[in-house]
Amino acid sequence: MVKQTIQIFARVKPPARKQQSGIYSIDDDENLTPSLEIIIPRDLADGFVNNKRESYKFIFQRIFDQDAKQEIIFENIAKPVAESVLAGYNGTIFAYGQTGSGKTFTITGGAERYSDRGIIPRTLSYIFEQLQKDSSKIYTTHISYLEIYNECGYDLLDPRHEASRLEDLPKVTLLEDTDQNIHLKNLSLHQATNEEEALNLLFLGDTNRMIAETPMNQASTRSHCIFTIHLSSKEPGSATVRHAKLHLVDLAGSERVAKSGVGGQLLTEAKYINLSLHYLEQVIIALSEKNRSHIPYRNSMMTSVLRDSLGGNCMTTMIATLSLEKRNIDESISTCRFAQRVALIKNEAVLNEEIDPRSMIICLQKEIQELRDELALVTGEQRTEALTEAELLQLEKLITSFLEDQDPQSRLEVGADMRKIHHCFHHLKKLLNDKKILRNSTVSSEIKEPDCQEPVKEEEYKKLRDLLKQRDNEINILVNMLKKEKKKTQDALHFSSVDRGEIRLIQSSPFPPGNPEGQRTSLFSASTQSQDCSMLGNRSSLLHKKSGMREEMSLGRQEAFEIFKRDHADSVTIDDNKQILKQRFSEAKALGESINEARSKIGHLKEEITRRHIQQVALGVSENVAFPSTPDQEDRLRSQLEEEKRRYKIMFTRLKALKVEIEHLQLLMDKAKVKLQKEFEAWWAEEATHLQVDSPAANSLDHAKPSPQSSESQQDQSQLLSNQSSGREAQDHGIGNFGVCVGSARKVSPSPCPSPRSPEQSSTGTWLEGRTTSSVPLTGDSQTDSDILAFLKARQNILQKKCLGSN
Ligand code: ADP
Ligand code: MG
């Protein structure tokens, strides 16, 4: 059992804007406990703090300042927890802090750079790396991902990819068994055999989480997300299984509605944004107070799920995320206060061992049989009927295998049946006698032999002996040679099997799905590949589903999407990542080629060495002389071979790392694309609503039908306008090519006169009206046309804003 208080760490987020200095200071003198001092600026101190204290000091295990990289956070906070999980203990890491303080960044990571990946992907990578190194145990890993919003649990790993609202995800409920253990009904557990599969699950969960979020529920700030790695391990042949769980928790934002409370008094329940965080605080208070018998875990789903992590069987770590800007001082102090209380909680982690029922049953059955036999022996229960033919045969087989067994410990087990025991003795006696007779006869014949032969002449005998000696020598040489050859062939076979795997890795492009960790794993096994394919299939089908909307888009909408995409802030990130991905791909390709080269060089060197060997041996045998050796040359070849192998290994390791990075970048890009699509849909819907509300003209346009009333002159006018607003203008405003549909079969009423505007605005408006009436290819489908019109209207708004902005 390991007794440990909850470890608390603080991480300060870099400020969004340049920030005044002196708000906080960190004291991390190695000899002292690190402390964080938050200093209330003088201008705030009066109205803001009741008791006029000017600074607050908090102690943490360690404090990470703004420049702390994700790698450092992982090494110092998550790695020790991951290690104890590998040893069989439960672990929890939870991030607590106000919205925007970096909880998600710390737990999951940033969506822009590979180096920004957070604790979850790094922990997965670390755990799978360790599992591969340890061949003494059999490990199985499962993943689950739960979101709790408003006291309701949702399974984020719903593979159907159909959720567009949180409510569409499967609902997870709590069940308590008679031992008061909590079970989560409906939360799916997915096996992950390697890092890539686990990352795909994380990605699936995060995408579902993003898609299910609406401005109404603001799930990312008001919900708790619990990513759990379930690890079981078992030694081969043992009936004992160890289970460990690692919860990685991204809690809801801890901010309160009312900006007060720095003075220390507790706020009333109603003022909490998130009731479950209030209950979490109550649990923490109860746990940190001595002599409290009742801990109110059951008040909320989150505290029930994390029951073991809080004051139970778990090694728990808290990361207080702080956004130490002036306006966040009270929230930061409140976060630190919470952490100080959490640090008082003592947990007792035990190894979660359990007996595997199947192995246990086999052991017990054997024991029962032995006991029955013993009992029969002791009670002297006699069996009178004779043994059957089959039983006799079976016994004789047992005796034969017993005699053939080289193990001195082996036993002849026939059970406590005296008839069988007697038969065994009889049979053994018979065998012994038969053997004796046989030996006598052979000995006598051997004795007789010399008698029948002529005595060999001494000279002849010597000659034969010499010949025999010579032959022996030759045989020895050949045997040695064969042994060496055999070893080399084995090496070559082993090597080429590894190579084959690598060829597959290198040749299929982009990288084949599989475990990035290479030879020792099932990266190259067909079964894993097919599994991985299905995982990838899932991913692409998810994306397809999410981006499928786009394929169903009308032309206008697609056009609008293109522009929206181009103007979107994330497009820079996507483009950057695309560039990096491109670089990585070409690096991987070049590396692949070098690996191929190195491999063929290794092959040639090996061939050369073997060839020389065979030549030498052949020469030695045929001339009956010692091997003519040229050690220098051979040493040279060998050292070349070693050098090539070393180079090969380095390149292969790099290629593996590159593969992981490429995978991750692809996931990041996929995620960014889904996000973009989602935001576009929201923007589009909003614009369409505005259009319908604001513009009766658009409504009438929506339902425009080919009409003789659309006068020639109007059409002429609009065409004129359209021509005036040449491509130059379209380019100036970044409008894509809509195609010109002169003489369209449909004629549409132009918009009513634009409302009074500034000259710039009205020119834009004129341009737009011109485009609206004649340049846009109307499809005849009223939905599509209204899409186009909605887009144009929206575009008009943007342009107006731009014009106003430039003035
Ligand atoms: P929370 O989950 O607490 O609401 P986020 O993790 O979403 O906050 O962080 C808010 C923003 O700040 C994000 O854009 C994130 O990328 C950025 N951010 C947070 N922490 C850091 C950090 N340590 N370094 C750089 N950027 C950060
Ligand atoms: Mg967040």
Side-chain angles (χ1 to χ4, degrees):
M1 186 196 294
V2 181
K3 285 190 182 182
Q4 195 188 49
T5 51
I6 297 186
Q7 308 284 296
I8 54 163
F9 294 89
R11 184 184 199 183
V12 183
K13 187 196 125 168
R17 283 168 282 135
K18 199 170 157 9
Q19 169 198 339
Q20 83 197 80
S21 57
I23 282 188
Y24 71 96
S25 71
I26 294 172
D27 187 0
D28 56 357
D29 186 341
E30 271 179 22
N31 303 318
L32 299 168
T33 325
S35 68
L36 170 75
E37 187 169 14
I38 300 181
I39 300 139
I40 312 281
R42 287 206 174 274
D43 55 334
L44 280 186
D46 271 338
F48 216 68
V49 187
N50 298 333
N51 60 5
K52 311 252 177 179
R53 269 178 66 183
E54 298 218 315
S55 73
Y56 293 82
K57 208 168 189 171
F58 302 101
I59 287 172
F60 288 92
Q61 239 86 34
R62 239 187 111 167
I63 300 151
F64 298 92
D65 208 352
Q66 303 175 10
D67 50 1
K69 298 267 167 290
Q70 298 281 60
E71 168 84 39
I72 300 293
I73 299 290
F74 169 74
E75 288 289 329
N76 288 279
I77 302 180
K79 201 166 158 186
V81 183
E83 267 159 12
S84 54
V85 170
L86 285 165
Y89 296 97
N90 290 336
T92 298
I93 301 174
F94 68 93
Y96 181 97
Q98 70 183 109
T99 299
S101 59
K103 295 181 298 296
T104 307
F105 186 84
T106 303
I107 296 290
T108 309
E112 292 180 10
R113 279 172 296 271
Y114 179 63
S115 56
D116 279 351
R117 66 203 193 286
I119 286 178
I120 300 180
R122 284 174 197 268
T123 305
L124 287 173
S125 184
Y126 179 73
I127 286 184
F128 281 106
E129 195 184 300
Q130 297 307 309
L131 296 194
Q132 273 173 28
K133 281 187 194 158
D134 183 7
S135 51
S136 68
K137 292 201 189 89
I138 304 160
Y139 289 97
T140 22
T141 317
H142 287 85
I143 306 284
S144 65
Y145 204 174
L146 169 72
E147 174 157 8
I148 302 174
Y149 175 71
N150 251 347
E151 283 307 299
C152 230
Y154 299 95
D155 183 5
L156 285 175
L157 296 187
D158 173 34
R160 290 170 302 154
H161 319 307
E162 271 159 14
S164 56
R165 293 173 311 152
L166 207 54
E167 295 74 34
D168 298 337
L169 290 167
K171 276 209 172 62
V172 179
T173 45
L174 284 178
L175 287 180
E176 197 170 324
D177 65 18
T178 44
D179 296 332
Q180 300 197 330
N181 294 318
I182 298 286
H183 301 274
L184 292 164
K185 192 180 156 206
N186 246 358
L187 181 68
S188 57
L189 275 189
H190 299 254
Q191 185 163 7
T193 52
N194 55 42
E195 181 186 349
E196 195 191 358
E197 283 178 18
L199 275 181
N200 277 328
L201 289 166
L202 171 67
F203 163 79
L204 170 66
D206 278 345
T207 311
N208 275 337
R209 184 177 167 185
M210 184 170 70
I211 298 223
E213 186 177 39
T214 64
M216 288 303 288
N217 66 24
Q218 282 190 18
S220 71
T221 68
R222 295 185 185 182
S223 66
H224 316 285
C225 286
I226 306 176
F227 183 90
T228 309
I229 305 167
H230 308 250
L231 193 68
S232 346
S233 61
K234 178 172 138 39
E235 273 168 28
S238 156
T240 315
V241 190
R242 274 187 191 171
H243 298 284
K245 271 189 265 184
L246 174 57
H247 294 305
L248 300 168
V249 190
D250 185 356
L251 287 177
S254 63
E255 58 275 359
R256 296 144 203 251
V257 176
K259 289 239 168 197
S260 63
V262 178
Q265 80 278 23
L266 266 176
L267 289 161
T268 51
E269 284 182 27
K271 286 183 182 160
Y272 283 79
I273 277 189
N274 198 306
L275 209 56
S276 62
L277 275 184
H278 167 66
Y279 289 128
L280 173 67
E281 194 152 352
Q282 285 197 339
V283 167
I284 303 277
I285 292 171
L287 284 166
S288 57
E289 281 173 6
K290 279 185 187 140
N291 311 324
R292 277 281 291 263
S293 56
H294 174 69
I295 311 291
Y297 290 113
R298 286 201 192 135
N299 279 350
S300 88
M301 182 169 196
M302 192 249 300
T303 46
S304 303
V305 175
L306 295 182
R307 186 178 178 146
D308 261 342
S309 313
L310 307 163
N313 169 20
C314 189
M315 309 257 215
T316 303
T317 294
M318 166 185 168
I319 308 172
T321 55
L322 302 165
S323 170
L324 277 166
E325 289 173 42
K326 203 166 149 186
R327 64 198 160 96
N328 293 331
I329 286 219
D330 58 340
E331 292 298 349
S332 305
I333 291 177
S334 143
T335 301
C336 291
R337 280 220 175 98
F338 181 80
Q340 307 298 296
R341 229 178 268 127
V342 167
L344 301 175
I345 299 174
K346 262 208 187 93
N347 279 2
E348 289 179 1
V350 289
L351 282 179
N352 307 297
E353 287 184 332
E354 136 187 321
I355 305 293
D356 176 24
R358 265 175 303 176
S359 318
M360 200 60 205
I361 287 170
I362 294 170
C363 288
L364 289 175
Q365 277 175 340
K366 212 169 153 204
E367 196 178 329
I368 289 171
Q369 191 53 46
E370 275 174 14
L371 288 172
R372 271 196 192 136
D373 292 346
E374 237 169 75
L375 191 69
L377 209 62
V378 174
T379 55
E381 189 192 321
Q382 291 297 322
R383 294 180 182 85
T384 44
E385 71 274 26
L387 292 168
T388 63
E389 239 359 88
E391 280 172 321
L392 290 175
L393 213 67
Q394 176 67 21
L395 277 178
E396 276 156 32
K397 264 190 198 156
L398 277 176
I399 292 166
T400 316
S401 62
F402 170 62
L403 290 174
E404 279 168 5
D405 196 340
Q406 299 296 319
D407 184 1
Q409 305 282 323
S410 66
R411 283 161 58 181
L412 176 58
E413 301 204 32
V414 292
D417 187 341
M418 289 319 283
R419 297 166 306 160
K420 288 184 181 170
I421 294 172
H422 287 311
H423 180 80
C424 282
F425 280 123
H426 278 137
H427 192 75
L428 279 169
K429 189 174 175 185
K430 187 171 165 277
L431 286 178
L432 210 66
N433 282 341
D434 289 350
K435 213 167 178 187
K436 238 187 222 164
I437 293 164
L438 196 72
R439 199 180 310 141
N440 283 344
S441 66
T442 46
V443 168
S444 60
S445 67
E446 271 166 22
I447 293 166
K448 275 179 205 153
E449 234 172 13
D451 295 344
C452 354
Q453 281 183 358
E454 289 272 325
V456 185
K457 283 182 194 160
E458 190 59 29
E459 217 178 82
E460 186 92 348
Y461 185 61
K462 197 171 173 283
K463 211 171 151 189
L464 281 172
R465 211 167 46 188
D466 283 345
L467 196 68
L468 195 65
K469 208 172 170 188
Q470 199 182 339
R471 288 284 171 271
D472 265 350
N473 277 342
E474 283 174 11
I475 287 168
N476 276 342
I477 292 166
L478 286 167
V479 166
N480 274 342
M481 207 172 97
L482 267 175
K483 269 188 195 159
K484 277 187 190 161
E485 279 308 307
K486 197 172 157 194
K487 190 167 177 304
K488 268 188 217 138
T489 324
Q490 275 170 352
D491 284 352
L493 271 176
H494 172 70
F495 205 77
S496 69
S497 71
V498 172
D499 291 351
R500 273 200 301 279
E502 284 153 16
I503 295 171
R504 253 188 278 164
L505 176 72
I506 295 154
Q507 285 176 349
S508 42
S509 168
F511 282 43
N515 188 329
E517 297 305 323
Q519 300 109 304
R520 278 200 56 226
T521 70
S522 49
L523 167 62
F524 306 113
S525 78
S527 68
T528 315
Q529 282 210 359
S530 65
Q531 264 180 17
D532 290 347
C533 283
S534 74
M535 284 297 294
L536 276 194
N538 277 350
R539 198 177 89 206
S540 60
S541 80
L542 169 69
L543 273 180
H544 187 75
K545 159 91 181 78
K546 304 301 181 200
S547 59
M549 298 179 263
R550 200 177 153 197
E551 274 159 35
E552 293 152 18
M553 278 186 204
S554 64
L555 272 178
R557 212 153 137 161
Q558 277 184 32
E559 191 80 32
F561 180 67
E562 287 307 318
I563 296 167
F564 183 85
K565 192 166 77 180
R566 202 197 48 208
D567 293 346
H568 197 280
D570 281 359
S571 69
V572 182
T573 316
I574 296 178
D575 286 347
D576 284 354
N577 275 339
K578 239 187 223 167
Q579 282 306 320
I580 299 174
L581 203 56
K582 229 182 195 172
Q583 281 170 13
R584 296 291 180 270
F585 263 125
S586 44
E587 197 185 331
K589 203 176 151 209
L591 213 54
E593 278 161 11
S594 310
I595 286 179
N596 273 335
E597 262 170 38
R599 203 180 46 244
S600 67
K601 243 187 211 166
I602 290 171
H604 287 143
L605 284 169
K606 279 185 169 175
E607 264 172 30
E608 178 63 20
I609 292 172
T610 315
R611 199 175 53 77
R612 291 177 62 79
H613 251 247
I614 292 172
Q615 269 178 0
Q616 284 172 2
V617 170
L619 212 65
V621 170
S622 66
E623 296 183 4
N624 203 8
V625 289
F627 293 164
S629 62
T630 46
D632 283 356
Q633 247 172 329
E634 193 167 325
D635 283 354
R636 204 169 39 80
L637 284 174
R638 283 201 184 282
S639 69
Q640 265 181 25
L641 183 67
E642 287 313 309
E643 176 57 27
E644 274 310 317
K645 277 188 183 170
R646 207 178 54 79
R647 224 165 64 82
Y648 180 90
K649 243 186 198 157
I650 292 171
M651 289 193 291
F652 187 65
T653 315
R654 170 74 193 131
L655 189 64
K656 278 194 300 184
L658 217 55
K659 180 178 177 281
V660 176
E661 187 175 346
I662 286 176
E663 263 296 319
H664 196 100
L665 280 171
Q666 281 173 335
L667 291 182
L668 286 183
M669 281 177 58
D670 289 350
K671 215 157 105 180
K673 282 181 197 161
V674 174
K675 184 169 165 249
L676 193 74
Q677 178 84 40
K678 188 177 176 272
E679 286 176 11
F680 170 72
E681 292 301 329
W683 172 80
W684 183 261
E686 198 185 317
E687 290 302 329
T689 329
H690 283 171
L691 183 81
Q692 273 168 18
V693 175
D694 298 350
S695 160
N699 280 336
S700 69
L701 285 174
D702 272 0
H703 306 104
K705 291 202 166 57
S707 149
Q709 287 146 315
S710 334
S711 70
E712 285 290 321
S713 65
Q714 273 169 334
Q715 203 199 355
D716 289 347
Q717 186 198 2
S718 51
Q719 271 193 1
L720 185 69
L721 286 167
S722 160
N723 294 339
Q724 281 170 352
S725 60
S726 60
R728 186 184 53 79
E729 197 167 3
Q731 275 165 11
D732 287 349
H733 293 289
I735 296 282
N737 176 20
F738 278 80
V740 177
C741 180
V742 181
S744 159
R746 288 193 62 195
K747 292 174 186 164
V748 187
S749 305
S751 295
C753 284
S755 55
R757 293 187 178 98
S758 70
E760 293 85 350
Q761 278 174 310
S762 69
S763 82
T764 319
T766 316
W767 170 81
L768 198 59
E769 255 96 54
R771 305 286 286 193
T772 316
T773 48
S774 65
S775 309
V776 179
L778 296 173
T779 60
D781 169 88
S782 71
Q783 174 60 39
T784 312
D785 291 350
S786 82
D787 284 345
I788 296 167
L789 289 168
F791 165 64
L792 289 172
K793 176 78 180 176
R795 194 65 206 158
Q796 183 184 15
N797 286 341
I798 293 171
L799 290 174
Q800 279 172 5
K801 275 180 205 152
K802 272 192 184 168
C803 289
L804 283 174
S806 65
N807 284 333

